[in-house]
Amino acid sequence: MSKSMESSCNNNRELTRVFIWSVPRTLGTALTKCLSYVDGIQVINEPFVSAFNFGPESLRANPGAETNTDPVKKFMDSASAVQNVFEKAFDDSKFTYGWVRQQLEAEYPGKKYLLVKDQAFCLNEKYDNIPPGFRHVFLIRHPYKVYPSWKRVLTKLYNLVHDPASLTDLEELNHQPYGMVEMQFNLLKYVQENLDPNPVIIDSDDLQNNPASTLRQFCEAVGIPYNDSLLEWPGNRDIMKTWIGSRIALQGNLLENEGGFYENALRSSSFLPGTATPDRSELSEDVLKVADDALPFYEQMYQMRLKP
């Protein structure tokens, strides 16, 4: 990695910069994988997630008595042992919020497009770490789909399959603030008022059920060239080797049994038709409470989405 990628500098006006803000379980990684095959693109994968979870400013940086019991720490140890095949991976000790901003501002010689994908709640409302010059995209999904899936992932991560915990308790174990959809909505309002008055909003159901129309509109809106080859891609993880990101996070996705977060997305080769939104009666009480709190924010964003 050249030193210019680590230093703060003026925005390269010839570089089209796009930021995708999601919440977990919204097909963000599948969309990132799809767009990774655009000629001349450089992907930065979840830099604020790494700052939030693994960097020196994270709540896990000094976990005290939790050091030997936090499954995320164990995940980090396992990921560290995986052979590094990522030429553009950085050590997690670099991932402060300020350092991430420097990477977002950096020049990337030979590239035409910079695509950054991240989780909105991991910015943790540190809005001053978003540099100008980006087109912003918000990837949304119905909370009745997001939260049951998120609970399953956290239950697996914290090894509580046989000792069930509520979704709120799981999010607290994950050092996660309550209301990640509300935080995404608040970020949207900040972006509209300060950075990009017309951000793009995509619902993942539209991406699954109408991929050609949705991708075409997305690409036109952000300045990335569209062609039908984007509708299919290789069903392996090799493209990850071109991504910039946290070494722990990238290597962790090579773990067969402990990764879990992006396994299906990284093995995907297209957008498959979505399933129906669950009925309220199908959701557990703890999931329904969190999902209902998120619903008004989702519905406001849904009304502003690109329509296929």
Side-chain angles (χ1 to χ4, degrees), residues 104-147:
L104 303 179
E105 294 175 321
E107 295 185 44
Y108 293 87
K111 299 298 183 181
K112 302 174 185 177
Y113 314 99
L114 180 65
L115 178 74
V116 186
K117 189 267 286 187
D118 224 318
Q119 304 292 345
F121 79 86
C122 290
L123 182 60
N124 212 17
E125 300 182 339
K126 300 179 189 290
Y127 298 145
D128 58 344
N129 289 294
I130 310 173
F134 279 83
R135 285 287 278 133
H136 290 266
V137 180
F138 289 79
L139 184 59
I140 64 173
R141 193 183 193 191
H142 199 290
Y144 289 4
K145 291 187 174 184
V146 166
Y147 283 105

Side-chain angles (χ1 to χ4, degrees), residues 61-92:
N62 296 287
E66 296 179 10
T67 300
N68 296 320
T69 59
D70 184 349
V72 175
K73 296 291 289 184
K74 294 179 181 179
F75 168 82
M76 293 169 65
D77 291 341
S78 298
S80 297
V82 175
Q83 181 181 2
N84 182 21
V85 297
F86 301 102
E87 295 181 1
K88 300 181 179 183
F90 286 105
D91 188 87
D92 298 278

Side-chain angles (χ1 to χ4, degrees), residues 10-301:
N10 293 329
N11 283 342
N12 180 355
R13 293 183 180 177
E14 297 181 356
L15 189 65
T16 297
R17 298 171 188 262
V18 179
F19 213 127
I20 298 176
W21 298 101
S22 64
V23 296
R25 322 314 291 168
T26 54
L27 307 184
T29 301
L31 178 58
T32 302
K33 185 182 179 185
C34 160
L35 295 170
S36 296
Y37 292 95
V38 172
D39 183 52
I41 202 165
Q42 177 60 63
V43 168
I44 301 180
N45 185 60
E46 299 191 340
F48 288 123
V49 169
S50 297
F52 183 86
N53 283 306
F54 310 130
E57 297 169 332
S58 73
L59 292 176
R60 292 188 176 91
N62 296 287
E66 296 179 10
T67 300
N68 296 320
T69 59
D70 184 349
V72 175
K73 296 291 289 184
K74 294 179 181 179
F75 168 82
M76 293 169 65
D77 291 341
S78 298
S80 297
V82 175
Q83 181 181 2
N84 182 21
V85 297
F86 301 102
E87 295 181 1
K88 300 181 179 183
F90 286 105
D91 188 87
D92 298 278
S93 63
K94 290 184 176 292
F95 279 81
T96 63
Y97 282 86
W99 183 85
V100 169
R101 174 169 176 144
Q102 291 176 6
Q103 309 319 299
L104 303 179
E105 294 175 321
E107 295 185 44
Y108 293 87
K111 299 298 183 181
K112 302 174 185 177
Y113 314 99
L114 180 65
L115 178 74
V116 186
K117 189 267 286 187
D118 224 318
Q119 304 292 345
F121 79 86
C122 290
L123 182 60
N124 212 17
E125 300 182 339
K126 300 179 189 290
Y127 298 145
D128 58 344
N129 289 294
I130 310 173
F134 279 83
R135 285 287 278 133
H136 290 266
V137 180
F138 289 79
L139 184 59
I140 64 173
R141 193 183 193 191
H142 199 290
Y144 289 4
K145 291 187 174 184
V146 166
Y147 283 105
S149 177
W150 187 226
K151 182 179 180 180
R152 286 193 295 271
V153 167
L154 292 180
T155 297
K156 177 181 176 182
L157 176 65
Y158 287 98
N159 196 26
L160 294 172
V161 175
H162 302 296
D163 185 20
S166 72
L167 177 56
T168 303
D169 289 342
L170 287 166
E171 289 187 333
E172 288 180 0
L173 278 174
N174 203 44
H175 301 291
Q176 179 184 333
Y178 184 84
M180 60 186 182
V181 175
E182 180 180 1
M183 294 181 78
Q184 185 186 33
F185 176 80
N186 290 342
L187 175 59
L188 168 67
K189 303 306 290 184
Y190 176 85
V191 165
Q192 287 177 316
E193 294 169 4
N194 297 277
L195 296 168
D196 182 356
N198 297 298
V200 177
I201 300 176
I202 299 174
D203 189 277
S204 62
D205 276 2
D206 294 331
L207 194 58
Q208 289 186 285
N209 297 324
N210 299 281
S213 173
T214 303
L215 275 174
R216 185 181 294 109
Q217 290 185 75
F218 161 81
C219 288
E220 290 174 355
V222 302
I224 291 176
Y226 171 82
N227 62 67
D228 287 341
S229 66
L230 291 178
L231 299 177
E232 294 184 355
W233 54 87
N236 56 53
R237 311 184 218 189
D238 291 350
I239 197 65
M240 287 177 61
K241 297 176 184 178
T242 68
W243 294 357
I244 294 173
S246 152
R247 182 172 58 86
I248 292 292
L250 291 173
Q251 290 179 198
N253 280 298
L254 299 182
L255 297 172
E256 292 295 331
N257 298 317
E258 299 180 58
F261 285 89
Y262 308 124
E263 183 175 353
N264 290 338
L266 294 174
R267 296 183 187 279
S268 68
S269 58
S270 65
F271 293 107
L272 300 177
T275 58
T277 301
D279 187 78
R280 291 174 55 85
S281 62
E282 300 176 58
L283 304 181
S284 62
E285 184 176 341
D286 60 317
V287 168
L288 189 60
K289 168 65 169 66
V290 179
D292 278 347
D293 286 350
L295 197 57
F297 304 103
Y298 164 78
E299 289 176 338
Q300 290 183 70
M301 292 187 285

